[in-house]
Amino acid sequence: MSLICKSLIQRNNALAHRLLPSLQSRTEFTGTLAKGVTTTEKFREIWHNTDCIDPLYEKSKKPRAEHRYDPTRRAHMYIMYGGVYGVGVIAAKNIIQGIVHYHWPGKDAQAMSAIEVKLADIPLGKCIVVQWKDSPVFIWHRNEKQIADAEADDNAEMRDPQTDTERVKTKEWYISMAVCTHLGCIPIFGAGNFKGFFCPCHGSHYDA
């Protein structure tokens, strides 16, 4: 407490005189005040309608705006606005990222979306069934006779015509979903009237 009082005395004798009247005797003010807000007639008429001429207000008021390092306080406003905008951008980014990650497929689904099959292990003329995205897929290694039989029906009248070239990228390999077009059963390879695929559930016959 003593250090604070001494600091106040060193900075402003008039303020110390006001706060600690016991330290020095109070004398009556007989001089004139410097021109300021409290010396105007308008101030006396509206705000200070007394005969007090105490100079404490003029000596203890804050410095004028032109003497500040930032009179317009633009730096303060820029910092505040920048901080608010920055927090808003981060919050928006976290919300969008959370929504995207919520709808993003899981690691197990991504792992099942791609499979690798060694085609060299499939004998010529044979067909295997692999699983892709929980669905069966036919991979048929066709020989020349099977390719010729499939191409022989390209000009046949069908409800939904499609040539063999349109169904495959390489004639030697036939790859398609191993699902019956009737009710989704898995057909049997090499059976049926056309020796292609046969679905025993409802008797569906397929050539290729």
Side-chain angles (χ1 to χ4, degrees):
M1 185 63 183
S2 61
L3 293 176
I4 296 175
C5 293
K6 290 180 179 180
S7 177
L8 290 173
I9 293 171
Q10 293 176 358
R11 290 183 179 182
N12 199 324
N13 293 330
L15 184 60
H17 167 72
R18 181 81 173 175
L19 297 176
L20 304 173
S22 61
L23 296 179
Q24 60 184 3
S25 61
R26 187 182 179 108
T27 58
E28 183 179 358
F29 179 77
T30 58
T32 58
L33 290 175
K35 186 177 180 180
V37 178
T38 58
T39 59
T40 60
E41 293 297 332
K42 195 66 176 179
F43 179 85
R44 292 176 180 272
E45 177 183 352
I46 299 177
W47 304 107
H48 205 267
N49 192 17
T50 64
D51 295 332
C52 179
I53 56 174
D54 194 341
L56 179 62
Y57 176 80
E58 294 291 342
K59 292 185 178 181
S60 61
K61 70 178 181 180
K62 292 183 178 180
R64 296 183 182 275
E66 58 267 16
H67 298 300
R68 299 175 185 167
Y69 71 95
D70 185 19
T72 59
R73 303 191 67 185
R74 289 186 179 180
H76 175 75
M77 291 189 294
Y78 291 160
I79 293 174
M80 293 296 296
Y81 292 155
V84 172
Y85 292 155
V87 172
V89 170
I90 294 174
K93 172 254 184 185
N94 291 336
I95 292 173
I96 295 174
Q97 186 176 6
I99 294 174
V100 172
H101 285 182
Y102 178 80
H103 294 284
W104 202 266
K107 297 296 183 181
D108 53 345
Q110 294 182 17
M112 294 173 60
S113 63
I115 60 174
E116 293 184 3
V117 179
K118 192 173 182 180
L119 299 179
D121 295 340
I122 304 176
L124 185 63
K126 299 297 181 180
C127 179
I128 65 171
V129 180
V130 297
Q131 189 175 9
W132 175 72
K133 289 186 176 180
D134 290 335
S135 300
V137 176
F138 281 135
I139 302 179
W140 183 9
H141 190 184
R142 302 189 299 180
N143 53 34
E144 294 182 359
K145 182 179 183 305
Q146 293 170 339
I147 296 174
D149 292 342
E151 291 179 345
D153 295 331
D154 287 346
N155 297 324
E157 294 184 1
M158 298 182 182
R159 178 177 299 179
D160 297 312
Q162 188 180 35
T163 63
D164 184 72
T165 306
E166 295 174 347
R167 291 195 297 264
V168 298
K169 291 184 177 181
T170 304
K171 292 184 177 182
E172 186 180 0
W173 296 99
Y174 176 86
I175 301 174
S176 67
M177 300 294 297
V179 177
C180 177
T181 56
H182 185 200
L183 288 177
C185 304
I186 300 178
I188 300 174
F189 171 73
N193 296 335
F194 307 105
K195 301 302 179 181
F197 301 95
F198 172 70
C199 182
C201 300
H202 299 88
S204 300
H205 299 264
Y206 305 91
D207 56 351

